[in-house]
Amino acid sequence: MARMKFLCDSERCIDCNGCVTACKNANETEWGIQRRRVVTLDDGEIGKEVSISVACMHCSDAPCMAVCPTNCFYPTEDGLILHNKDTCIGCGYCLYACPFGAPQFPKQGAFGARGKMDKCTFCAGGPEADPALEAQKYGANRLKDGKLPLCAEMCSTKALLAGDAQEVSDIFRERVVYRGHRNGAWGATQQEPGLSELARQAAELATDAARS
Amino acid sequence: MKYRKRNRGWFSLVALLLAGCLFSLPSVAQPQGGPPADARKELMQTLPGTTSDYWRNVQGGVTGTTSSRSPGAETLIMVQGEQWRNWRNHWVSPGGLIALGGSAAGILLFWLLVGPVKLEHPRTGRKIERWTRMDRTIHWYVASLFIILGFTGLMLLYAKWFLQPILPGGVWAAFMTAAKNIHNYLGPLFALGLLAMILKWIRHNAFNRVDLKWFAKGGGIVGKGHPQAGYLNGGEKVWFWIVTFVGLTVVISGLIADFPNFGQSRETMQITLLVHGIGALILMAASFGHIYIGTAGTEGAFEGMKTGYVDESWAKQHHDLWYHAVKDQAIDEAELEARKAGNSQTAANPTQAS
Ligand code: SF4
Ligand code: SF4
Ligand code: SF4
């Protein structure tokens, strides 16, 4: 079975927040819930600024799953980490364990009690047989229809890639090889000497990781 | 938490120390299996180009700007999450089991080998008031909440290992939702009770020379004869201070965790929850000792917190100094019955001589 992964090419991401908007639109998430976010580091510093789109990474050994007191997470055959909102008690432990800040909570109830956790499903819905209910609780199930996550599909620069880990890193490797030969084509790559070398290493890492 | 420790107060100390030692053992059971996920690996996969230098930055919690309002959204990666997972799953969870199991096993062993402390002299039938109605109300209020909170807390920590596999999904969800809500709503009520208890009893709990001798005699286990004791013996005072310090720690951390609406950071919550769990598990392990000493472990002790009155023989045996101070207030059983039947005017407050 394929192992699904995201890949964000920070050389390409332009902080347009298209992925964020696409996600919000595809999944009709509640007010205040943003499954994907773009983090811009060194904002405004020419040559240093870099933007990265982050959502749930669907970790291989997911910390959220390990700490959840009700065991509502489950891994799918595609290597996704989905969860069951019926069992979620809104304790927030997944948020405290997740390195990527992926779990989101609607504010609900007295004294700041959290509602049920929501996070990126890789547009694969959740454990609900009825499609209408599934859409209402978990958002779109595009994977079922043979479509890829909307955030990546809508990315205007194709910085954000989603799909089979192997394919995604192959695409990236190709890009890096291409960039490596014409360093000047990409503004940021000129700033650091030896970046093409680093990028090559990184591409290898990505391939390794995809194989693991 | 019952408030009697009588002679064997030392025992809760031993149980606590034992629990403490066991607690610090490396986790034997690793119920969650495998090493924690590697955020670095995940990041490299998602963001190829993550070099070692870059990772150092990221690991240091590099922040940027983002449009997300989610707490901590501006931080790219929070590696502490994995440390928290490790602490919680590989130390606190197994450690708690060892502490609770060790404490229970130790008490059982003690009970089998040494047995309960019997009254040395037959009951005289004359009763002395030891705990006023107010004392008892506070005690049982705190005790019942302690048990409910302890139970629901343990469920949040352990139930997924043994209850989930045997419950149907819907029941499991309802059970855990109830556990969480009960725990979160009763917590602040426990805090109030604990405060009242500390304020009500603190004046009896200053250590003095008598306590030193009491400790030297191990509460009656070392050497001959019972060590002297006033209204409260050294063991009871130790339990009081454990309840005060560990209890307040658990209460304060509990309140921070209970009200996430003050913008606490994830890192704050991680530490808070660890402190809360460790403190609560220590308290529970120690409370086993207290419960044993106050019930099966000491003949004649439980009636003090149940009825408010203890028998003269018991008072003399376990709290001789206090007994000598208040013995003139002893009343016949019949008189006590009459008093109780009359109305609850237990009026005079003979317990206060310490
Ligand atoms: S919620 Fe966080 S920890 Fe869980 S799979 Fe997603 S990124 Fe990993
Ligand atoms: S908030 Fe829900 S999903 Fe997250 S750890 Fe708690 S019960 Fe599990
Ligand atoms: S995969 Fe779907 S749910 Fe996840 S961030 Fe993209 S659009 Fe949102």
Side-chain angles (χ1 to χ4, degrees):
Chain A
M1 214 44 205
R3 174 149 182 83
M4 295 297 177
K5 280 288 174 190
F6 289 116
L7 189 151
C8 180
D9 187 344
S10 58
E11 293 289 310
R12 284 188 171 213
C13 179
I14 55 169
D15 188 23
C16 71
N17 279 278
C19 50
V20 177
T21 316
C23 174
K24 192 97 190 143
N25 199 37
N27 296 297
E28 301 284 359
T29 54
E30 267 179 74
W31 174 255
I33 287 186
Q34 198 175 316
R35 290 182 179 181
R36 181 169 281 289
R37 69 185 197 276
V38 179
V39 181
T40 302
L41 306 178
D42 299 314
D43 194 12
E45 288 180 46
I46 297 166
K48 280 184 86 185
E49 179 181 304
V50 58
S51 294
I52 302 153
S53 175
V54 192
C56 172
M57 303 287 191
H58 298 277
C59 304
S60 318
D61 173 24
C64 55
M65 187 155 82
V67 297
C68 175
T70 69
N71 244 351
C72 59
F73 294 92
Y74 62 97
T76 71
E77 283 181 334
D78 296 331
L80 303 178
I81 303 294
L82 301 185
H83 72 293
N84 183 343
K85 285 194 179 183
D86 292 343
T87 1
C88 174
I89 56 175
C91 63
Y93 289 6
C94 47
L95 175 64
Y96 306 146
C98 173
F100 304 101
Q104 306 280 301
F105 294 91
K107 288 240 164 51
Q108 207 183 57
F111 313 120
R114 299 184 190 82
K116 294 185 185 293
M117 189 274 276
D118 188 270
K119 72 167 186 68
C120 161
T121 63
F122 211 84
C123 286
E128 195 64 72
D130 175 5
L133 217 55
E134 181 185 33
Q136 186 205 327
K137 275 190 189 164
Y138 303 100
N141 191 343
R142 295 171 52 88
L143 249 54
K144 190 183 62 189
D145 304 333
K147 296 178 194 155
L148 286 171
L150 195 63
C151 51
E153 295 289 270
M154 296 282 277
C155 179
S156 55
T157 61
K158 289 288 166 274
L160 183 62
L161 305 173
D164 181 294
Q166 189 60 58
E167 276 178 40
V168 155
S169 49
D170 281 348
I171 296 173
F172 180 73
R173 196 177 35 205
E174 223 174 276
R175 283 184 192 173
V176 170
V177 170
Y178 184 69
R179 279 181 220 161
H181 288 298
R182 334 154 126 227
N183 248 350
W186 293 90
T189 49
Q190 288 184 315
Q191 308 300 322
E192 279 178 59
L195 191 74
S196 60
E197 176 51 29
L198 289 178
R200 244 194 303 280
Q201 288 171 7
E204 274 165 33
L205 262 170
T207 323
D208 286 351
R211 284 208 194 97
S212 69
Chain B
M1 285 151 274
K2 261 149 296 84
Y3 207 77
R4 245 150 301 96
K5 205 145 278 207
R6 305 308 99 106
N7 255 340
R8 305 302 165 121
W10 64 274
F11 178 63
S12 77
L13 252 185
V14 174
L16 188 73
L17 285 177
L18 180 78
C21 299
L22 289 169
F23 197 82
S24 56
L25 281 176
S27 61
V28 265
Q30 295 215 337
Q32 328 255 348
D38 188 351
R40 178 180 182 169
K41 204 185 101 209
E42 295 297 339
L43 185 73
M44 285 191 158
Q45 199 155 8
T46 297
L47 191 73
T50 308
T51 61
S52 301
D53 275 347
Y54 195 69
W55 173 251
R56 255 193 296 284
N57 256 330
V58 165
Q59 206 176 18
V62 68
T63 57
T65 51
T66 179
S67 62
S68 170
R69 293 291 147 94
S70 174
E74 66 292 338
T75 308
L76 191 59
I77 301 262
M78 176 198 60
V79 282
Q80 289 87 340
E82 292 181 346
Q83 289 156 10
W84 183 67
R85 166 201 185 169
N86 206 21
W87 268 94
R88 181 175 185 277
N89 287 9
H90 295 308
W91 292 89
V92 179
S93 289
L97 279 187
I98 294 170
L100 296 178
S103 175
I107 289 164
L108 187 70
L109 209 67
F110 181 84
W111 184 68
L112 290 173
L113 294 181
V114 184
V117 184
K118 299 275 181 209
L119 283 178
E120 279 162 4
H121 303 284
R123 291 163 187 270
T124 65
R126 290 176 64 77
K127 306 286 176 193
I128 303 176
E129 186 176 35
R130 180 153 173 82
W131 303 107
T132 64
R133 181 169 294 268
M134 185 53 116
D135 287 325
R136 283 176 289 143
T137 309
I138 294 179
H139 175 267
W140 290 114
Y141 172 87
V142 171
S144 23
L145 283 177
F146 181 82
I147 290 167
I148 298 170
L149 290 168
F151 176 77
T152 49
L154 288 176
M155 290 305 108
L156 290 169
L157 195 51
Y158 297 117
K160 72 168 168 179
W161 302 115
F162 68 94
L163 264 187
Q164 193 190 19
I166 57 172
L167 291 182
V171 179
W172 166 247
F175 176 79
M176 289 307 280
T177 308
K180 180 225 172 192
N181 286 337
I182 290 171
H183 197 84
N184 283 9
Y185 281 96
L186 293 187
L189 297 180
F190 174 78
L192 294 179
L194 184 72
L195 272 183
M197 190 165 88
I198 293 170
L199 292 178
K200 182 87 177 35
W201 290 343
I202 195 164
R203 66 204 172 93
H204 300 304
N205 279 284
F207 288 104
N208 55 32
R209 240 165 223 231
V210 179
D211 299 324
L212 277 184
K213 286 190 199 136
W214 190 94
F215 287 127
K217 282 193 151 193
I221 209 74
V222 185
K224 282 204 183 125
H226 278 287
Q228 293 193 312
Y231 179 55
L232 297 180
N233 65 35
E236 287 171 302
K237 291 180 186 178
V238 166
W239 176 231
F240 174 85
W241 290 111
I242 290 175
V243 168
T244 301
F245 286 114
V246 185
L248 284 178
T249 307
V250 171
V251 156
I252 292 167
S253 55
L255 288 173
I256 296 174
D258 205 358
F259 297 94
N261 49 330
F262 292 104
Q264 297 94 316
S265 69
R266 290 171 293 178
E267 291 84 347
T268 306
M269 290 300 237
Q270 289 163 353
I271 293 169
T272 302
L273 287 165
L274 285 179
V275 167
H276 188 70
I278 293 171
L281 287 164
I282 291 176
L283 263 193
M284 278 187 259
S287 78
F288 289 174
H290 170 67
I291 292 168
Y292 169 76
I293 292 163
T295 55
T298 319
E299 186 184 357
F302 186 69
E303 60 201 52
M305 200 45 94
K306 187 176 164 219
T307 64
Y309 288 82
V310 292
D311 195 90
E312 235 181 8
S313 296
W314 184 90
K316 207 167 173 179
Q317 179 177 341
H318 294 282
H319 297 271
D320 53 342
L321 299 178
W322 171 66
Y323 169 71
H324 288 301
V326 298
K327 61 183 169 198
D328 51 324
Q329 290 161 16
I331 53 170
D332 279 339
E333 225 158 343
E335 197 182 328
L336 180 60
E337 293 301 319
R339 248 196 229 187
K340 284 204 165 158
N343 61 31
S344 47
Q345 290 245 327
T346 24
N349 197 353
T351 62
Q352 312 309 353
S354 43

